[in-house]
Amino acid sequence: MPDNEIDAPDDGVSFVMPVLNERAYLEHAVRSVLAQELTVPAELVLALGPSTDGTTALAQRLAADDERIRLVDNPAAHIPVGLNAAIRASRYATIVRVDAHSELSPGYAARALETLRRTGAANVGGVMHADGRTPFQRAVARLYNSPVGLGGGAYHGGTHEGEAESAYLGVMRRDVLEEVGLFDESIRRGEDWELNLRIRQAGHRVWFDPSLSVTYWPRESWLRLARQFRATGAWRGELVRRYGRRNGIRFFAPPALVALLATAVLLGITQLVGAVTGVLSAILSAVIYLPLLAYVLLVLVVAALPGGGGPRQRLWTAAVLPTMHLSWGFGFLGGVLRGARDTVDASRLGTRNTPLP
């Protein structure tokens, strides 16, 4: 049987989770899955990458303690490869994608199944509610939950139910996944957006339900965050190369900021050496510097807004917001100009996570 064909599934739910270096988060993520109350059979398939932090041993112990947990290998460590391996090894008619850095809210799966039935959609997703433990992680989480941080996608805090461009994680009909060919294994980041594009092009609906909530734990350090966003931006640039303006306009804001910053540096150099003076210098200064000043003021305002936490968290907010935008923007421009190629999310490699309480 071809790899992309799936046996006729039984009525039930298969949770699928790619895992790599997630020792600090895996057990909490697994518990949130196994705690879902369903009236149909359920299983959890973990696709194990070559972890170096003890994740694999932990996964094996969890599987030994609960027969609902099954393990498959993902030696390539790439997320879409692991997802496809888990889907092919699973048995049930509904596929629920779960991230090892996330925790499903109580009743998540049951509500999602009801929404699938009620709407006739092929894929249903809800709100990604970011949370944090340290001042840095809480600052990142606050920006994840803000339209200023990640551009206002519905799953970052939308409140209106309806059709959507994409879905966070996703509760999917397996027959539709089989129809469109599962995840594209040539895409390392943004694979969910690309899958949902093919689902919509095939005439099916992707649905956002704000009553569904998933807790997401962001990266724990500035360097890991910057690496994550650079890789994500590079693959968005690759998706723009492949699909052009099917990508939303919001994806072009960070690279525009990078281009504006580069232009400001060049203008400053020409002004310092006297190559640009007088009226032309004043006009260019207004056109280039004022938008950057406005952006700096925006960063400071966001950091100072109520609910921003203590002084350390506010300082991290002021540092994290431009880090997210500039890292993503630099990655995007590289992805557009030369393709993402073999860019991977290096923040997932060689982790040093602090266990969740």
Side-chain angles (χ1 to χ4, degrees):
M1 179 172 57
D3 285 344
N4 65 344
E5 289 187 11
I6 302 172
D7 291 331
D10 297 324
D11 187 26
V13 176
S14 294
F15 298 87
V16 296
M17 182 192 302
V19 179
L20 177 67
N21 288 323
E22 297 289 3
R23 179 179 56 84
Y25 293 90
L26 178 61
E27 190 163 3
H28 286 261
V30 167
R31 285 177 181 172
S32 78
V33 170
L34 299 181
Q36 297 295 307
E37 296 184 355
L38 295 165
T39 59
V40 295
E43 65 180 350
L44 169 60
V45 185
L46 304 180
L48 302 179
S51 297
T52 58
D53 68 345
T55 293
T56 299
L58 173 59
Q60 291 169 341
R61 177 173 64 79
L62 294 172
D65 291 340
D66 197 307
E67 63 182 8
R68 291 172 293 176
I69 301 175
R70 303 169 62 202
L71 308 178
V72 296
D73 289 328
N74 177 23
H78 299 311
I79 290 174
V81 176
L83 286 169
N84 285 348
I87 292 169
R88 292 185 180 113
S90 65
R91 295 172 289 190
Y92 297 127
T94 302
I95 303 296
V96 181
R97 177 177 173 178
V98 189
D99 190 278
H101 252 251
S102 67
E103 296 176 30
L104 304 183
S105 60
Y108 173 90
R111 283 196 299 271
L113 289 176
E114 191 280 328
T115 302
L116 276 178
R117 288 191 293 266
R118 172 171 55 85
T119 64
N123 189 8
V124 169
V127 175
M128 182 185 77
H129 177 72
D131 202 352
R133 294 167 290 157
T134 65
F136 173 83
Q137 200 176 38
R138 287 193 293 270
V140 178
R142 181 167 173 253
L143 294 173
Y144 263 77
N145 297 330
S146 165
V148 176
L150 292 182
Y155 57 83
H156 291 301
T159 57
H160 299 292
E161 182 177 5
E163 292 192 47
E165 176 186 27
S166 188
Y168 176 58
L169 298 181
V171 179
M172 298 165 276
R173 288 169 39 198
R174 184 170 186 160
D175 58 333
V176 174
L177 287 178
E178 178 181 7
E179 176 187 339
V180 301
L182 304 187
F183 288 91
D184 184 338
E185 296 184 1
S186 72
I187 297 173
R188 303 293 181 246
R189 304 285 295 178
E191 71 286 340
D192 49 355
W193 179 90
E194 190 276 339
L195 173 66
N196 284 297
L197 174 63
R198 283 186 283 123
I199 289 174
R200 291 186 287 110
Q201 287 177 333
H204 303 287
R205 291 195 293 178
V206 177
W207 196 265
F208 171 71
D209 183 351
S211 71
L212 303 173
S213 178
V214 179
T215 298
Y216 172 79
W217 300 94
R219 299 297 188 262
E220 307 90 342
S221 73
W222 180 85
L223 182 59
R224 293 187 66 207
L225 182 75
R227 287 173 173 172
Q228 178 191 19
F229 271 74
R230 179 188 171 277
T232 304
W235 279 102
R236 178 55 57 179
E238 174 67 32
L239 292 172
V240 167
R241 286 170 64 96
R242 298 189 190 190
Y243 300 105
R245 276 291 295 116
R246 294 189 186 95
N247 295 265
I249 190 66
R250 69 182 186 275
F251 296 124
F252 295 85
L257 174 63
V258 172
L260 184 65
L261 181 62
T263 303
V265 171
L266 291 175
L267 176 60
I269 293 173
T270 59
Q271 288 174 327
L272 284 174
V273 299
V276 176
T277 59
V279 175
L280 178 59
S281 176
I283 293 174
L284 291 176
S285 295
V287 171
I288 302 301
Y289 295 146
L290 288 181
L292 283 177
L293 177 60
Y295 178 78
V296 171
L297 291 175
L298 173 66
V299 171
L300 295 177
V301 167
V302 170
L305 284 174
R312 287 182 62 197
Q313 183 177 329
R314 291 180 183 275
L315 287 173
W316 273 124
T317 299
V320 163
L321 185 56
T323 296
M324 291 165 60
H325 291 162
L326 293 175
S327 298
W328 202 99
F330 275 113
F332 178 95
L333 291 174
V336 167
L337 294 175
R338 63 181 182 83
R341 299 181 181 178
D342 295 326
T343 300
V344 297
D345 180 5
S347 70
R348 301 172 65 235
L349 306 177
T351 61
R352 293 170 54 190
N353 296 330
T354 302
L356 286 167

